Amino acid sequence: TLVDGNGKETEFEIVDSLVTENNEYFALIPVETAENVDSDDGELVILKVVEENGEEFLEPIEDEALFNEIGEIFVF
């Protein structure tokens, strides 16, 4: 479950992960989309794993070029 900037909680399912030499990334889809996998309107969310004070967090990829590069890998 992830909480957005407005405090709205959404449950996601991890569909794939990727580890590069510098970072780890997760491809997620909302559970309600995962339940209707035949639908092409699903939203794929790609987040980067960051570590801060010994805890792991997920955050959006800010660099557009990096986002596009990682996104291309997750396209399936």
Side-chain angles (χ1 to χ4, degrees), residues 11 17 27 40 47 64 67:
E11 190 172 342
S17 65
D40 288 336
L47 299 173
E64 186 176 343
F67 178 83

Side-chain angles (χ1 to χ4, degrees), residues 41-53:
D41 335 348
E43 174 187 0
L44 182 67
V45 177
I46 301 171
L47 299 173
K48 178 172 71 170
V49 178
V50 294
E51 189 174 319
E52 188 174 299
N53 299 325

Side-chain angles (χ1 to χ4, degrees), residues 3-62:
V3 180
D4 69 13
N6 298 322
K8 179 183 175 200
E9 292 185 359
T10 304
E11 190 172 342
F12 287 87
E13 180 176 319
I14 298 171
V15 293
D16 205 353
S17 65
L18 169 69
V19 177
T20 65
E21 72 179 50
N22 298 322
N23 292 302
E24 181 176 11
Y25 303 92
F26 287 118
L28 311 160
I29 56 173
V31 168
E32 57 271 2
T33 302
E35 292 171 354
N36 301 312
V37 117
D38 293 339
S39 172
D40 288 336
D41 335 348
E43 174 187 0
L44 182 67
V45 177
I46 301 171
L47 299 173
K48 178 172 71 170
V49 178
V50 294
E51 189 174 319
E52 188 174 299
N53 299 325
E55 291 188 58
E56 288 186 342
F57 297 93
L58 298 175
E59 68 178 28
I61 302 170
E62 299 293 329

